[in-house]
């Protein structure tokens, strides 16, 4: 109401003696409105206790009849009590507010309830959130407000995920999934945005439980949803988990694509996980033995000098140049930025094995014979580890050589010599088997 309208009402009060009850009601509305905005001003000034007293006056002024100003006052009281940490009183006022939903339009009630749900959801008090979401859902049973019901259920599902209560989480996810299906039991593509939000949480659950089979199935379902305009954060989660899944399957190409998409989604959402996904992308490029420069992409360039990214980029440069000493020094200097991430730590042994293998091949290449202790000194690893790497290379036919364990030496052979040695070994094995067969046959005839 404007100041001009307020003044007009004051003039009318003084000049006329109204006996009409409607005028009394209008005057009461004005008084409640004034009291409400005075209290709201106290909220903005940080005077929460004075504000609460003012909002209580609004409730007292309206009497038994529930009205719009009482609804607004209760909304503000819930928020003020939450800010003060008076959670029990907040819940009492919140339950009172839920009884007012019928006095405003459906759109107004949905808008206010959505804001309050988002407002309270920042709390770290899990017990409070559980009570709050359960109370909200109980009030929505008969309201047919599907959007708010879905949103509140998703927040409750997220709570169970954070508490690792996966059985309770799965029950909610099944119920939510049913609400996004057609009568024939198929995903309702008209609800694509809700489906992707649902799948993103389900994918996180399967990732946490290390259930690769269900993770892949859910990920593929999510990728089939086309008619949706999801928040980039939702797609970031889906692509990140998909990238990690491909990493576990050692499909480095698919992993790189997913992680790059996740990085772009998180970047668009302004989420800090963009840096994590960029680190994982660099990790995937190293493991794939690709030498592509990821910083050529315009989306990535701004983050090249980020300390977290600099450490991973330095590691990649040392890796690509087979500089094992620099590689190990970078790992040692950046324990927090690299080794404290459990996902990256899972693949450090693979990186070390790869770079040691590459350096080993380069080290022995000029020689026909080389001492194993010399290789161990070059790689800075125990002699037993050198032998294990050599055996792996020989079995994979990446080198043609044999190990002289008596003299602690590796002897490289030409391809022809290697083939001859294998044939000799097979012939020797054939003779042994023939002798064994004859011995067994003789015993049977006796």
């Amino acid at each position: 109401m404007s100041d001009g309208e307020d003044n007009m009402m004051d003039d009318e009060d003084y000049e006329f003696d109204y006996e009409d009850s409607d005028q009394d009601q209008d005057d009461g509305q004005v008084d409640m409105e004034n009291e409400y905005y005075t209290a709201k001003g106290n909220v903005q000034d940080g005077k929460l206790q004075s504000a609460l007293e003012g909002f209580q006056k609004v409730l007292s002024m309206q009497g038994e009849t529930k009205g719009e100003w009482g609804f607004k006052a209760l909304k503000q009281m819930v928020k003020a009590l939450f800010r003060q940490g008076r959670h029990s009183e907040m819940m009492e006022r919140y339950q009172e507010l839920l009884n007012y939903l019928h006095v405003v339009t459906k759109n107004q009630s949905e808008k206010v309830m959505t804001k309050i749900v988002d407002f309270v959801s920042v709390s770290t008090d899990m017990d409070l959130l559980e009570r709050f979401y359960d109370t909200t859902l109980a009030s929505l049973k008969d309201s047919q407000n599907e959007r708010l019901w879905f949103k509140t259920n998703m927040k409750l599902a997220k709570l169970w995920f954070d508490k690792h209560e996966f059985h309770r989480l799965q029950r909610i996810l099944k119920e939510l999934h049913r609400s996004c299906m057609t009568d024939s039991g198929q995903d309702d593509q008209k609800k694509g945005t809700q489906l992707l939000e649902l799948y993103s949480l389900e994918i996180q659950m399967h990732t946490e439980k290390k259930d690769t089979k269900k993770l892949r199935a859910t990920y593929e379902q999510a990728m089939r949803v086309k008619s949706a305009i999801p928040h980039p954060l939702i797609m970031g989660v889906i692509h990140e988990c998909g990238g990690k899944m491909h990493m576990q399957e050692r499909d480095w190409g698919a992993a790189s694509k997913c992680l790059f998409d996740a990085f772009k989604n998180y970047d668009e959402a302004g989420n800090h996980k963009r840096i994590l996904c960029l680190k994982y992308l660099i990790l995937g490029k190293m493991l794939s033995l690709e030498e592509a420069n990821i910083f050529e992409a315009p989306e990535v360039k701004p983050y090249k000098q980020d300390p977290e990214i600099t450490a991973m980029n330095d590691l990649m440069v040392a890796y690509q140049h087979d500089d094992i000493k620099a590689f190990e020094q970078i790992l040692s200097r950046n324990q927090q930025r690299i080794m404290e991430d459990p996902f990256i730590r899972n693949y450090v042994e693979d990186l070390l094995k790869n770079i040691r293998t590459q350096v080993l091949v380069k080290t022995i290449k000029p020689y026909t014979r080389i001492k194993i202790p010399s290789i161990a000194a070059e790689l800075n690893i125990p002699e037993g580890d050198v032998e294990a790497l050599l055996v792996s290379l020989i079995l994979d036919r990446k080198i043609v050589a044999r190990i002289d364990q008596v003299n602690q030496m590796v002897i490289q052979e030409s391809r022809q010599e290697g083939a001859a040695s294998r044939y000799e070994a097979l012939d020797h094995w054939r003779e042994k088997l023939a002798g064994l067969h004859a011995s067994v046959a003789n015993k049977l005839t006796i």
Side-chain angles (χ1 to χ4, degrees), residues 103-205:
V103 305
V104 293
T105 66
K106 183 178 178 180
N107 286 341
Q108 283 178 305
S109 65
E110 181 180 339
K111 184 178 178 181
V112 168
M113 291 295 294
T114 299
K115 285 185 176 179
I116 290 178
V117 168
D118 289 340
F119 188 81
V120 175
S121 292
V122 301
S123 175
T124 56
D125 185 335
M126 298 292 192
D127 292 334
L128 167 67
L129 290 175
E130 182 179 349
R131 279 183 289 140
F132 178 77
Y133 295 143
D134 283 341
T135 301
T136 305
L137 289 169
S139 75
L140 292 172
K141 277 183 179 178
D142 302 320
S143 69
Q144 296 183 340
N145 193 327
E146 188 177 341
R147 280 185 299 183
L148 187 56
W149 175 83
F150 186 90
K151 182 170 187 172
T152 306
N153 262 308
M154 280 300 300
K155 288 185 178 292
L156 181 58
K158 182 65 168 64
L159 176 67
W160 296 143
F161 174 77
D162 291 339
K163 294 177 79 170
H164 283 203
E165 295 195 26
F166 296 129
H167 289 299
R168 300 175 83 169
L169 169 59
Q170 284 175 313
R171 282 201 299 271
I172 293 179
L173 290 177
K174 284 180 181 178
E175 186 177 4
L176 288 171
H177 202 175
R178 280 196 297 270
S179 74
C180 295
M181 286 182 171
T182 62
D183 293 338
S184 61
Q186 301 298 314
D187 282 355
D188 187 349
Q189 293 299 322
K190 293 177 183 177
K191 296 182 178 180
T193 302
Q194 290 178 319
L195 279 167
L196 286 176
E197 191 176 352
L198 172 64
Y199 285 141
S200 72
L201 188 54
E202 191 172 349
I203 284 169
Q204 289 178 80
M205 178 184 70

Side-chain angles (χ1 to χ4, degrees), residues 263 275 278-279 282 293-314 316-317 334 337:
F263 161 76
I275 298 297
L278 201 49
K279 288 166 72 173
I282 294 171
N293 182 6
I294 66 167
F295 295 103
E296 289 178 352
E299 302 94 335
V300 178
K301 279 183 182 178
Y303 301 99
K304 188 173 183 179
Q305 302 305 319
D306 185 283
E308 298 281 332
I309 301 304
T310 300
M312 285 297 290
N313 191 40
D314 290 345
M316 182 169 65
V317 170
N334 295 276
R337 290 190 173 118

Side-chain angles (χ1 to χ4, degrees), residues 75-107:
K75 175 192 72 173
Q76 296 293 343
M77 292 180 85
V78 168
K79 293 164 75 173
L81 289 166
F82 177 75
R83 287 193 184 102
Q84 289 185 323
R86 294 159 64 179
H87 295 157
S88 294
E89 294 173 72
M90 184 209 83
M91 287 302 301
E92 289 175 8
R93 291 300 187 181
Y94 182 60
Q95 288 175 320
E96 195 175 344
L97 173 66
L98 294 173
N99 294 324
Y100 276 69
L101 295 181
H102 68 280
V103 305
V104 293
T105 66
K106 183 178 178 180
N107 286 341

